[in-house]
Amino acid sequence: AAGVIQSPRHLIKEKRETATLKCYPIPRHDTVYWYQQGPGQDPQFLISFYEKMQSDKGSIPDRFSAQQFSDYHSELNMSSLELGDSALYFCASSFGRIRTDTQYFGPGTRLTVL
Amino acid sequence: QKEVEQNSGPLSVPEGAIASLNCTYSDRGSQSFFWYRQYSGKSPELIMFIYSNGDKEDGRFTAQLNKASQYVSLLIRDSQPSDSATYLCAVIKAGGTSYGKLTFGQGTILTVHP
Protein backbone atom coordinates (compact mmCIF):
# COMPACT_ATOMS: atom_id res chain seq x y z
CA ALA A 1 0.00 0.00 0.00
CA ALA A 2 1.14 3.52 -0.74
CA GLY A 3 2.53 5.43 2.21
CA VAL A 4 3.30 9.02 3.04
CA ILE A 5 6.31 10.31 1.12
CA GLN A 6 8.64 12.95 2.48
CA SER A 7 11.53 14.65 0.80
CA PRO A 8 14.33 15.16 1.29
CA ARG A 9 15.12 12.46 3.82
CA HIS A 10 18.18 14.28 5.08
CA LEU A 11 19.02 17.96 4.94
CA ILE A 12 22.02 19.86 6.23
CA LYS A 13 21.85 23.63 6.43
CA GLU A 14 23.82 26.47 7.95
CA LYS A 15 22.42 28.87 10.51
CA ARG A 16 20.24 31.60 9.01
CA GLU A 17 19.62 29.59 5.84
CA THR A 18 16.20 28.47 4.62
CA ALA A 19 14.84 24.98 4.11
CA THR A 20 11.78 23.52 2.41
CA LEU A 21 10.40 20.14 3.40
CA LYS A 22 7.87 18.36 1.22
CA CYS A 23 5.15 15.87 2.09
CA TYR A 24 3.01 13.76 -0.24
CA PRO A 25 0.08 12.20 1.62
CA ILE A 26 -1.39 8.77 1.08
CA PRO A 27 -3.67 8.88 -2.00
CA ARG A 28 -7.21 10.08 -1.13
CA HIS A 29 -6.04 11.50 2.19
CA ASP A 30 -7.02 15.14 2.43
CA THR A 31 -5.49 16.11 5.77
CA VAL A 32 -1.81 16.68 6.46
CA TYR A 33 -0.12 17.20 9.82
CA TRP A 34 3.44 18.31 10.55
CA TYR A 35 5.31 17.26 13.69
CA GLN A 36 8.77 18.11 15.01
CA GLN A 37 10.71 15.63 17.13
CA GLY A 38 13.87 16.79 18.87
CA PRO A 39 16.46 14.34 20.19
CA GLY A 40 15.03 12.24 23.01
CA GLN A 41 11.69 14.03 22.84
CA ASP A 42 8.19 13.09 21.78
CA PRO A 43 6.79 14.51 18.53
CA GLN A 44 5.34 18.00 18.86
CA PHE A 45 2.51 19.15 16.64
CA LEU A 46 3.34 22.10 14.39
CA ILE A 47 0.49 22.69 11.96
CA SER A 48 -2.20 20.89 9.98
CA PHE A 49 -4.21 21.37 6.80
CA TYR A 50 -7.58 20.03 5.73
CA GLU A 51 -8.73 20.44 2.16
CA LYS A 52 -5.94 22.94 1.49
CA MET A 53 -6.92 25.20 4.38
CA GLN A 54 -4.99 25.53 7.62
CA SER A 55 -7.03 23.71 10.23
CA ASP A 56 -4.93 23.85 13.39
CA LYS A 57 -1.75 25.44 14.59
CA GLY A 58 0.56 24.30 17.36
CA SER A 59 3.97 25.36 18.54
CA ILE A 60 5.21 26.50 15.16
CA PRO A 61 7.71 29.39 15.16
CA ASP A 62 6.84 32.49 13.16
CA ARG A 63 9.92 31.73 11.04
CA PHE A 64 8.12 28.66 9.72
CA SER A 65 5.25 28.64 7.26
CA ALA A 66 3.41 25.87 5.49
CA GLN A 67 0.74 25.28 2.93
CA GLN A 68 -1.19 22.51 1.24
CA PHE A 69 -1.50 22.55 -2.54
CA SER A 70 -4.28 21.54 -4.91
CA ASP A 71 -2.84 18.01 -5.23
CA TYR A 72 -2.89 17.79 -1.39
CA HIS A 73 0.87 17.72 -1.02
CA SER A 74 2.23 20.05 1.62
CA GLU A 75 5.40 22.04 2.09
CA LEU A 76 6.95 23.31 5.30
CA ASN A 77 9.14 26.38 4.76
CA MET A 78 11.67 27.22 7.41
CA SER A 79 13.65 30.45 7.37
CA SER A 80 16.42 31.96 9.50
CA LEU A 81 17.33 28.49 10.68
CA GLU A 82 18.66 28.12 14.20
CA LEU A 83 20.69 25.35 15.78
CA GLY A 84 17.65 24.39 17.82
CA ASP A 85 15.70 23.61 14.65
CA SER A 86 17.78 20.46 14.22
CA ALA A 87 15.26 17.66 14.56
CA LEU A 88 13.26 15.00 12.78
CA TYR A 89 10.29 16.46 10.95
CA PHE A 90 7.41 14.11 10.32
CA CYS A 91 4.44 14.55 8.10
CA ALA A 92 1.33 12.48 8.73
CA SER A 93 -1.82 12.16 6.68
CA SER A 94 -5.37 11.06 7.28
CA PHE A 95 -8.72 11.01 5.56
CA GLY A 96 -9.86 13.93 7.58
CA ARG A 97 -13.63 14.13 7.28
CA ILE A 98 -13.84 12.59 10.72
CA ARG A 99 -11.56 14.55 12.98
CA THR A 100 -10.42 11.54 14.93
CA ASP A 101 -9.28 9.50 11.95
CA THR A 102 -6.03 7.62 12.20
CA GLN A 103 -2.87 9.40 11.13
CA TYR A 104 -0.14 7.60 9.22
CA PHE A 105 3.37 8.96 9.42
CA GLY A 106 5.93 9.42 6.70
CA PRO A 107 9.57 8.40 7.12
CA GLY A 108 10.59 11.88 8.22
CA THR A 109 13.16 14.46 7.21
CA ARG A 110 16.22 14.75 9.41
CA LEU A 111 17.27 18.39 9.46
CA THR A 112 20.69 19.28 10.78
CA VAL A 113 21.54 22.94 11.25
CA LEU A 114 25.25 23.69 11.60
CA GLN B 1 2.30 18.42 33.98
CA LYS B 2 2.16 16.92 30.51
CA GLU B 3 -1.25 16.30 29.04
CA VAL B 4 -0.28 12.70 28.34
CA GLU B 5 1.93 10.86 30.82
CA GLN B 6 3.79 7.61 30.39
CA ASN B 7 6.42 5.85 32.44
CA SER B 8 9.59 6.48 30.47
CA GLY B 9 11.06 3.15 31.53
CA PRO B 10 13.05 1.45 30.40
CA LEU B 11 10.77 -1.53 30.80
CA SER B 12 12.63 -4.79 30.43
CA VAL B 13 10.85 -8.12 29.93
CA PRO B 14 12.07 -11.56 28.93
CA GLU B 15 11.17 -13.01 25.55
CA GLY B 16 7.75 -14.64 25.64
CA ALA B 17 6.49 -12.57 28.57
CA ILE B 18 3.69 -10.02 28.64
CA ALA B 19 4.74 -6.37 28.45
CA SER B 20 2.35 -3.87 30.02
CA LEU B 21 2.56 -0.22 29.00
CA ASN B 22 0.52 2.46 30.72
CA CYS B 23 -0.63 5.96 29.86
CA THR B 24 -2.76 8.57 31.60
CA TYR B 25 -4.21 11.73 30.11
CA SER B 26 -5.49 14.89 31.71
CA ASP B 27 -8.13 16.20 29.31
CA ARG B 28 -11.52 14.52 29.68
CA GLY B 29 -12.38 15.84 26.20
CA SER B 30 -9.94 13.35 24.69
CA GLN B 31 -11.82 11.08 22.35
CA SER B 32 -9.34 8.93 20.46
CA PHE B 33 -6.37 7.03 21.76
CA PHE B 34 -3.46 5.59 19.85
CA TRP B 35 -0.38 3.52 20.45
CA TYR B 36 2.56 4.05 18.14
CA ARG B 37 5.82 2.11 18.07
CA GLN B 38 8.97 4.00 17.17
CA TYR B 39 12.37 2.54 16.49
CA SER B 40 15.32 4.84 16.98
CA GLY B 41 15.55 7.39 14.17
CA LYS B 42 12.44 6.06 12.45
CA SER B 43 8.91 7.34 12.18
CA PRO B 44 6.09 6.36 14.55
CA GLU B 45 4.24 3.26 13.36
CA LEU B 46 0.61 2.77 14.35
CA ILE B 47 0.06 -0.29 16.53
CA MET B 48 -3.46 0.16 17.88
CA PHE B 49 -6.24 2.69 18.21
CA ILE B 50 -9.18 2.63 20.59
CA TYR B 51 -12.16 4.91 20.96
CA SER B 52 -14.49 3.13 23.40
CA ASN B 53 -14.12 1.94 26.95
CA GLY B 54 -12.99 -1.65 27.29
CA ASP B 55 -10.54 -3.89 25.54
CA LYS B 56 -9.55 -4.13 21.90
CA GLU B 57 -7.40 -7.01 20.69
CA ASP B 58 -5.33 -7.29 17.53
CA GLY B 59 -3.01 -10.26 17.34
CA ARG B 60 -0.52 -10.10 20.19
CA PHE B 61 -1.63 -6.58 21.15
CA THR B 62 -4.48 -5.54 23.43
CA ALA B 63 -5.40 -1.95 24.12
CA GLN B 64 -7.48 -1.09 27.17
CA LEU B 65 -9.31 2.17 27.73
CA ASN B 66 -10.93 3.47 30.90
CA LYS B 67 -12.26 6.97 30.32
CA ALA B 68 -13.50 7.36 33.89
CA SER B 69 -9.96 6.85 35.16
CA GLN B 70 -8.44 8.61 32.14
CA TYR B 71 -6.21 5.64 31.58
CA VAL B 72 -5.17 3.70 28.51
CA SER B 73 -2.84 0.73 28.37
CA LEU B 74 -1.21 -1.57 25.86
CA LEU B 75 -0.46 -5.23 26.53
CA ILE B 76 1.97 -7.10 24.32
CA ARG B 77 1.72 -10.87 24.68
CA ASP B 78 4.53 -13.27 23.76
CA SER B 79 6.98 -10.39 23.58
CA GLN B 80 9.72 -10.71 20.99
CA PRO B 81 13.12 -9.01 20.79
CA SER B 82 11.82 -7.23 17.66
CA ASP B 83 9.24 -5.52 19.92
CA SER B 84 12.09 -3.60 21.56
CA ALA B 85 11.33 0.03 20.75
CA THR B 86 9.83 3.20 22.20
CA TYR B 87 6.05 3.04 22.56
CA LEU B 88 4.24 6.33 22.26
CA CYS B 89 0.79 6.91 23.65
CA ALA B 90 -1.13 9.64 21.82
CA VAL B 91 -4.54 11.21 22.19
CA ILE B 92 -6.78 13.39 20.06
CA LYS B 93 -9.13 15.95 21.54
CA ALA B 94 -11.83 16.39 18.93
CA GLY B 95 -14.13 19.36 18.86
CA GLY B 96 -13.67 23.05 19.40
CA THR B 97 -10.62 24.35 17.61
CA SER B 98 -8.89 20.99 17.63
CA TYR B 99 -8.96 19.21 14.31
CA GLY B 100 -7.26 15.98 15.15
CA LYS B 101 -3.74 16.88 16.24
CA LEU B 102 -2.02 14.16 18.19
CA THR B 103 -0.69 14.93 21.65
CA PHE B 104 1.98 12.44 22.61
CA GLY B 105 3.32 11.13 25.87
CA GLN B 106 7.06 11.04 26.35
CA GLY B 107 7.21 7.40 25.36
CA THR B 108 8.13 4.18 27.17
CA ILE B 109 11.29 2.39 26.14
CA LEU B 110 10.66 -1.37 25.98
CA THR B 111 13.49 -3.88 25.89
CA VAL B 112 12.72 -7.55 25.30
CA HIS B 113 15.72 -9.68 26.15
CA PRO B 114 16.22 -13.22 24.82
Side-chain angles (χ1 to χ4, degrees):
Chain A
V4 177
I5 297 171
Q6 290 187 247
S7 67
R9 295 292 306 278
H10 302 272
L11 192 58
I12 299 175
K13 291 286 186 178
E14 300 278 343
K15 279 188 346 182
R16 292 179 289 278
E17 286 189 323
T18 61
T20 297
L21 279 53
K22 296 184 179 182
C23 170
Y24 297 86
I26 292 171
R28 293 182 64 238
H29 281 193
D30 50 15
T31 305
V32 167
Y33 305 82
W34 286 96
Y35 295 87
Q36 177 192 57
Q37 187 174 28
Q41 298 180 359
D42 53 279
Q44 295 293 313
F45 170 75
L46 293 177
I47 195 167
S48 63
F49 294 88
Y50 168 63
E51 281 291 346
K52 292 151 280 185
M53 298 288 289
Q54 181 182 309
S55 59
D56 205 351
K57 198 171 181 180
S59 50
I60 183 169
D62 291 341
R63 300 177 289 108
F64 294 6
S65 65
Q67 62 184 102
Q68 187 178 32
F69 294 86
S70 57
D71 64 350
Y72 295 101
H73 94 273
S74 178
E75 296 184 3
L76 177 65
N77 298 292
M78 310 161 71
S79 62
S80 303
L81 288 169
E82 302 174 356
L83 296 177
D85 296 329
S86 295
L88 273 168
Y89 290 83
F90 294 111
C91 169
S93 75
S94 70
F95 183 60
R97 291 183 182 180
I98 300 174
R99 293 173 182 177
T100 56
D101 266 352
T102 303
Q103 295 175 34
Y104 296 91
F105 282 73
T109 294
R110 181 176 293 281
L111 173 65
T112 302
V113 181
L114 302 176
Chain B
Q1 181 187 8
K2 280 178 69 71
E3 291 185 51
V4 181
E5 294 270 5
Q6 296 179 248
N7 289 329
S8 58
L11 173 65
S12 181
V13 300
E15 184 175 357
I18 296 175
S20 177
L21 305 166
N22 304 314
C23 173
T24 58
Y25 59 95
S26 60
D27 191 327
R28 288 193 175 274
S30 299
Q31 295 193 353
S32 306
F33 306 87
F34 304 83
W35 284 99
Y36 285 87
R37 177 174 63 194
Q38 187 175 31
Y39 296 109
S40 181
K42 304 296 184 182
S43 62
E45 174 193 6
L46 181 68
I47 299 296
M48 293 281 292
F49 62 88
I50 187 166
Y51 302 147
S52 304
N53 278 328
D55 296 358
K56 180 181 179 182
E57 185 174 321
D58 183 2
R60 296 187 296 113
F61 300 96
T62 299
Q64 299 172 318
L65 174 62
N66 184 325
K67 289 187 177 181
S69 300
Q70 294 175 243
Y71 174 89
V72 58
S73 67
L74 179 70
L75 298 177
I76 306 175
R77 290 180 298 281
D78 188 23
S79 295
Q80 302 297 309
S82 58
D83 293 327
S84 299
T86 297
Y87 288 80
L88 294 163
C89 173
V91 305
I92 290 180
K93 296 182 295 182
T97 58
S98 174
Y99 284 78
K101 67 178 181 182
L102 288 166
T103 300
F104 288 89
Q106 68 269 44
T108 298
I109 298 171
L110 172 66
T111 301
V112 181
H113 53 87

